[in-house]
Amino acid sequence: LRQLLGRVVRWRVAPIWYGVVVLGSLLVQLGTIALHVTLGGQMPDFGALIGALPVLLVTAVYMLIFVALGEEVGWRGYALPALQARYSALLSSLILGVLWALWHLPLFFNPDTLYGNLPFVLFLAYLVPFTILISWIFNSTGGSVLLVMLLHAFMNASNVVWRVLPEYGAEPASAAEALSRNVHVHLMMIILLWSAAVVVVRAYGPRNLSRRPRQLLG
């Protein structure tokens, strides 16, 4: 318990990792929007992007308290170090990514949630590379669950920047349109996240996903 709580409040890490967590989340979303525009989508208004930042910050605080805090104490505070005690950081991340996705599976049967308008396989394809990137940050910061919680919160919150696009500013007119939007956004995210995950694995190696030894339980 002391080890777990120590990881949750571990804030003394190299400042660059705070930048990676906060700015990196936003850059991933901007990258997906750039890909969307490249594939024929409409260009967002730069002023609207700046105006969305306060909403992003408020949403991130909400996500930190009501989502990331509860999940990450379990996933990265306990499960990832336990897996890494037996397997490489990459294999541990792949296992944990699948488990994390399956944990959300009941939500896909509720049509009143965002998950109800998304094929589960796309969510799985999104969550696995995200898990690899989280493991990279977790191991690189000496096992800071706090940094991982911030990353989780900002990644979830950064979806609000899609609302500045002309095609996504209004509520969908039908369930079919909501499904189409959700699938499109996740496809763009999947491309960006897998690209980033491949770069991390090649740059840092599958054993530790870090220049530092992978974090172990005990």
Side-chain angles (χ1 to χ4, degrees):
L1 285 175
R2 282 197 299 269
Q3 184 184 55
L4 176 60
L5 293 175
R7 284 178 170 148
V8 171
V9 298
R10 185 167 297 159
W11 62 273
R12 291 185 177 179
V13 302
I16 189 173
W17 291 108
Y18 284 95
V20 170
V21 165
V22 177
L23 297 179
S25 303
L26 184 57
L27 288 175
V28 166
Q29 289 294 351
L30 293 178
T32 62
I33 290 176
L35 181 59
H36 165 75
V37 173
T38 301
L39 294 176
Q42 298 184 50
M43 182 73 70
D45 179 76
F46 183 74
L49 280 173
I50 298 299
L53 292 179
V55 178
L56 187 153
L57 291 174
V58 171
T59 306
V61 171
Y62 173 86
M63 290 292 176
L64 177 65
I65 297 171
F66 294 103
V67 178
L69 176 62
E71 288 194 29
E72 293 305 337
V73 171
W75 296 130
R76 256 56 64 165
Y78 175 78
L80 180 59
L83 285 167
Q84 290 187 149
R86 300 184 61 184
Y87 309 110
S88 70
L90 178 58
L91 181 55
S92 298
S93 301
L94 295 175
I95 294 171
L96 189 56
V98 173
L99 292 175
W100 193 13
L102 290 173
W103 186 77
H104 287 84
L105 185 59
L107 294 173
F108 285 80
F109 296 97
N110 184 349
D112 295 327
T113 68
L114 291 175
Y115 300 96
N117 286 316
L118 179 70
F120 177 76
V121 66
L122 285 185
F123 182 70
L124 176 63
Y126 159 82
L127 214 54
V128 169
F130 185 32
T131 305
I132 294 173
L133 296 175
I134 291 176
S135 297
W136 165 57
I137 290 176
F138 179 77
N139 288 330
S140 297
T141 57
S144 174
V145 176
L146 176 62
L147 265 290
V148 168
M149 288 192 298
L150 289 172
L151 174 65
H152 189 163
F154 273 95
M155 274 294 291
N156 283 12
S158 62
N159 286 324
V160 302
V161 301
W162 278 86
R163 297 177 188 171
V164 306
L165 295 176
E167 307 98 305
Y168 291 85
E171 290 296 320
S174 65
E177 184 180 349
L179 173 63
S180 176
R181 287 187 184 186
N182 219 0
V183 167
H184 178 73
V185 171
H186 276 78
L187 284 174
M188 300 297 100
M189 289 289 296
I190 287 166
I191 293 171
L192 263 291
L193 289 176
W194 273 110
S195 299
V198 168
V199 169
V200 165
V201 173
R202 291 183 63 87
Y204 292 88
R207 180 174 176 79
N208 297 312
L209 294 178
S210 171
R211 302 289 183 221
R212 307 173 66 169
R214 65 187 184 277
Q215 294 293 304
L216 309 177
L217 187 68

